[in-house]
Amino acid sequence: MCGIVGAVGSRNIVPVLVEGLKRLEYRGYDSCGVAVLQDGALRRSRSTQRVAELNGQAAEEGIASTLGIAHTRWATHGAPAVHNAHPHFSHGPGADAATAKPGRVALVHNGIIENHEQLRAELQAKGYVFLSQTDTEVIAHLVDHLYDGDLFAAVKAATSRLTGAYAIAVFHRDEPQRVIGARQGSPLIMGVGGVDASERFLASDAMALAGVTDQIVYLEEGDVVDLQPGRHWIEHKAAGSEVHQRVSPEERPVRTVTAHSGAVELGPYRHYMQKEIFEQPRAIADTLEGVEAITPTLFGEQAEAVFGQIDRVLILACGTSYYSGSAAKYWLESIAKIPTQVEIASEYRYRDSVPDARTLIVTISQSGETADTIAALKHARSLGMEQTLTICNVSTSAMVRECKLAYVTRAGVEIGVASTKAFTTQLAALFLLTLTLAKLRGHLSAEAEAGHLKAMRHLPAALQSVLALEPQVIAWAESFARKDNALFLGRGLHYPIALEGALKLKEISYIHAEAYPAGELKHGPLALVTAEMPVVVVAPHDALLEKLKSNMQEVKARGGELYVCADADTQIQAEPGIHVIRLPEHYGALSAILHVVPLQLLAYHTACAKGTDVDKPRNLAKSVTVE
């Protein structure tokens, strides 16, 4: 999703802004820009190309300053075009739409302003000229309209008029050493110090400041921050209040946060997605590091008390995280014997549901900033469900701060838009949750606990064996690249794995793919099966194997082409119309973590064969921080 970088200091800050944008490229974007205050005037450079092109363009135009803001935009309001790209300038009363010169205010914005049409009409009536279709330009004009010599006051007044989600960074022509930031519903952080202690930074992600400063302040909902060389202060407006209150340094402490710049290096791999697929053994090992026994304290100091107050589980997530939650439902109900419901977060808060105070709300998010999931979490809490836990890959994220309990996976930075290692580490964390609840509820014997822990410790080695199958997957991908559609089948625990495999293929190869429980074939999807419809089957050696073989015969009888990911002992033989890749071993309850890897590789190599932009697929963003 969109990215923000802002800075004020004593050196030319443009290289820092551009480098910050480069570090945010993984979030996805379709335009980018940088604006500065130079020689008393607003100047900017904007592009619909990559940040590298923006860097050259800004250098050619001689853009340099000690103060500036920059942005990567993922289009919502208005097409991906230069005139819609951020930063936006105010164009006050009397400006001519054809020749409007830069006004007094420059602003970048993440989020969506829901009342922008009303504000646009109001500002147009006052003579403001709009040069874009964005909701963001409304904020720039509103700040300009409310400005009376104090930018901090103008931003506070403007944000009081906004409905929706925003993180903004803004500066004014008449205050050459001041950048103001504000957030509500979208993440924003402040960095302190750089080449000297006087520098101050804003960013939507600490990764943007990697190598610049590791001294980070996490801004909260309703915060407005004033950045000047050598100093800053924060004011906060609580929900429902009309008054901003000064926040003490103790309330927003400066934290040392290490965002490893080396994590974004591609190394010997062709794409970040490939790198991240092959990092999964290490990611799983790191996520499970220190787990010597199954104990509630894995999830936080309050975990035993919280787990003792619940009778059921409600999982809230989106996209790939929703599929990891869907797989966990099978574990939680079969091993821990606890009723579990899985909801798509973006749907949950818009329907009437039946709350139960003895429910554990589990949110799952790679970034911990997913707007839909945070909103669903808040909705669940408003219904009286206060026992909350998050599975998340970012320890400093909003999701971790919002929940009582957390299990932070250690997948490391995930650059590719299509999630891979975040998914498998989420599954590992959810299996630990399953075992913990099973043990507390008397459904896990000491022998079973030891067996599960042994299997989990062996996961990295088992994953390495699966990754060694890549050459066979490449052969499949050459065939898939010539197809327009694909069908994925799984049963039981492996149905969510089929869903995830279909999602991966859609995301990066643009091949239409759907997944079904294999038993549903004859209830409709079988009508789609022809020789031109490849059918991928997830076939572990479990209790449903014989049923699955029957489903495969239904496909074969209709001339379908089967591609089967099978365990070594399933006795499924390759023959004309049936292609088989054999995983080295059956992995019991943890089989899902292994079986998803060939599907990730299939999507990756199919996309490579088609020549698509693997790491930045069209229309998609890494971190979905707007609804």
Side-chain angles (χ1 to χ4, degrees):
M1 195 52 68
C2 306
I4 288 174
V5 190
V8 58
S10 57
R11 56 172 164 159
N12 176 21
I13 215 71
V14 172
V16 175
L17 298 177
V18 173
E19 184 61 29
L21 292 188
K22 288 180 180 178
R23 297 196 185 284
L24 295 180
E25 284 188 291
Y26 75 96
R27 296 163 67 100
Y29 67 105
D30 42 44
S31 64
C32 52
V34 59
V36 300
L37 184 60
Q38 189 170 0
D39 300 325
L42 304 187
R43 294 194 63 194
R44 68 183 169 191
S45 184
R46 299 183 293 177
S47 174
T48 55
Q49 304 300 312
R50 293 300 183 198
V51 174
E53 281 73 25
L54 174 69
N55 187 32
Q57 183 177 312
E60 185 177 328
E61 295 170 357
I63 291 179
S65 178
T66 58
L67 174 149
I69 54 178
H71 193 262
T72 52
R73 176 180 185 251
W74 189 79
T76 52
H77 297 77
V82 171
H83 69 279
N84 286 325
H86 300 213
H88 286 284
F89 292 164
S90 61
H91 300 285
D96 180 81
T99 61
K101 295 180 180 179
R104 304 184 298 176
V105 172
L107 181 142
V108 293
H109 161 232
N110 289 354
I112 291 178
I113 304 304
E114 295 173 0
N115 61 335
H116 71 99
E117 292 179 343
Q118 172 193 335
L119 292 170
R120 178 184 287 255
E122 177 185 321
L123 290 160
Q124 283 176 326
K126 296 180 185 298
Y128 281 87
V129 176
F130 284 80
L131 303 182
S132 77
Q133 289 78 50
T134 68
D135 53 339
T136 299
E137 194 177 6
V138 166
I139 315 174
H141 292 341
L142 184 60
V143 171
D144 181 90
H145 171 63
L146 295 170
Y147 183 77
D148 188 22
D150 183 348
L151 183 60
F152 193 61
V155 170
K156 288 191 293 182
T159 56
S160 295
R161 297 285 314 278
L162 303 179
T163 301
Y166 57 81
I168 61 173
V170 53
F171 67 83
H172 194 283
R173 181 192 64 194
D174 298 339
E175 300 188 49
Q177 290 190 310
R178 198 178 199 188
V179 175
I180 308 298
R183 69 155 295 192
Q184 183 68 50
S186 290
L188 191 67
I189 59 126
M190 179 179 65
V192 178
V195 294
D196 62 60
S198 70
E199 293 186 335
R200 296 292 184 273
F201 304 91
L202 285 174
S204 48
D205 187 327
M207 177 59 67
L209 304 181
V212 177
T213 181
D214 60 0
Q215 299 301 293
I216 302 297
V217 176
Y218 286 90
L219 302 178
E220 300 289 344
E221 300 280 275
D223 281 358
V224 183
V225 59
D226 191 329
L227 278 63
Q228 300 181 36
R231 60 178 184 159
H232 67 269
W233 59 86
I234 301 169
E235 291 189 11
H236 175 78
K237 187 177 76 170
S241 172
E242 294 300 319
V243 180
H244 286 83
Q245 302 287 344
R246 189 72 170 262
V247 176
S248 70
E250 291 74 24
E251 293 177 273
R252 300 289 185 275
V254 177
R255 305 183 186 191
T256 301
V257 176
T258 304
H260 295 289
S261 57
V264 299
E265 299 301 326
L266 188 57
Y269 296 96
R270 187 174 172 187
H271 298 94
Y272 286 108
M273 183 178 178
Q274 184 186 29
K275 176 188 178 188
E276 287 153 11
I277 289 171
F278 277 83
E279 285 177 340
Q280 287 176 114
R282 190 273 309 157
I284 290 285
D286 288 351
T287 295
L288 299 177
E289 185 179 359
V291 178
E292 301 296 333
I294 300 303
T295 169
T297 55
L298 293 170
F299 299 89
E301 294 180 2
Q302 303 178 63
E304 187 164 6
V306 168
F307 292 160
Q309 299 176 54
I310 62 148
D311 296 324
R312 60 188 61 247
V313 174
L314 171 60
I315 297 174
L316 303 171
C318 300
T320 286
S321 296
Y322 172 74
Y323 295 146
S324 69
S326 298
K329 174 182 170 73
Y330 287 89
W331 288 332
L332 287 161
E333 293 197 337
S334 66
I335 298 174
K337 312 297 182 187
I338 187 167
T340 301
Q341 185 176 354
V342 188
E343 294 261 7
I344 296 173
S346 59
E347 292 290 318
Y348 169 69
R349 69 182 175 122
Y350 294 115
R351 72 174 187 84
D352 293 329
S353 57
V354 181
D356 183 342
R358 293 187 63 82
T359 299
L360 176 65
I361 303 297
V362 178
T363 64
I364 310 172
S365 170
Q366 188 280 136
S367 68
E369 304 289 352
T370 307
D372 288 317
T373 308
I374 292 174
L377 168 65
K378 291 179 178 178
H379 177 67
R381 290 174 58 187
S382 75
L383 297 176
M385 294 182 284
E386 292 291 338
Q387 311 308 332
T388 57
L389 179 151
T390 190
I391 307 293
C392 180
N393 192 41
V394 182
S395 62
T396 53
S397 65
M399 205 85 74
V400 171
R401 297 195 301 272
E402 287 277 347
C403 289
K404 284 186 179 179
L405 309 178
Y407 194 96
V408 178
T409 57
R410 298 178 184 174
V413 176
E414 191 176 63
I415 304 296
V417 166
S419 182
T420 52
K421 61 179 180 175
F423 178 73
T424 49
T425 53
Q426 286 170 358
L427 288 175
L430 288 162
F431 194 70
L432 284 177
L433 175 63
T434 297
L435 298 182
T436 301
L437 293 178
K439 187 173 182 179
L440 290 174
R441 295 165 68 85
H443 299 302
L444 186 71
S445 67
E447 182 181 2
E449 176 182 350
H452 286 308
L453 284 171
K454 181 179 179 182
M456 294 191 83
R457 293 189 189 105
H458 183 58
L459 270 174
L463 283 165
Q464 289 286 10
S465 298
V466 177
L467 288 166
L469 301 172
E470 185 182 32
Q472 297 175 57
V473 179
I474 292 173
W476 283 14
E478 292 170 357
S479 175
F480 270 71
R482 298 189 294 270
K483 306 298 183 181
D484 296 320
N485 303 280
L487 198 61
F488 286 69
L489 303 177
R491 298 203 71 148
L493 171 64
H494 294 80
Y495 166 51
I497 301 307
L499 285 164
E500 173 63 8
L503 176 62
K504 285 292 155 285
L505 192 66
K506 279 184 281 197
E507 284 180 308
I508 62 170
S509 76
Y510 315 145
I511 293 172
H512 173 252
E514 298 295 335
Y516 286 91
E520 284 294 293
L521 260 181
K522 52 187 172 291
H523 296 290
L526 199 56
L528 297 172
V529 173
T530 68
E532 290 303 308
M533 172 72 83
V535 179
V536 179
V537 183
V538 183
H541 193 178
D542 59 14
L544 292 170
L545 177 61
E546 294 307 317
K547 298 287 187 185
L548 186 64
K549 287 180 178 179
S550 297
N551 302 140
M552 290 167 54
Q553 289 303 316
E554 292 173 336
V555 172
K556 186 181 178 185
R558 273 76 179 180
E561 195 88 357
L562 288 156
Y563 293 81
V564 187
C565 295
D567 287 339
D569 51 358
T570 55
Q571 298 181 356
I572 297 173
Q573 302 301 322
E575 58 183 81
I578 301 180
H579 311 273
V580 181
I581 288 178
R582 299 191 185 283
L583 274 66
E585 55 188 310
H586 175 54
Y587 223 65
L590 292 168
S591 172
I593 296 176
L594 301 188
H595 271 273
V596 76
V597 175
L599 306 186
Q600 295 170 345
L601 289 169
L602 176 62
Y604 171 72
H605 286 291
T606 301
C608 288
K610 293 192 68 177
T612 62
D613 192 340
V614 172
D615 290 328
K616 300 182 183 70
R618 67 188 182 203
N619 304 332
L620 298 181
K622 181 63 179 173
S623 179
V624 184
T625 55
V626 296
E627 184 178 358

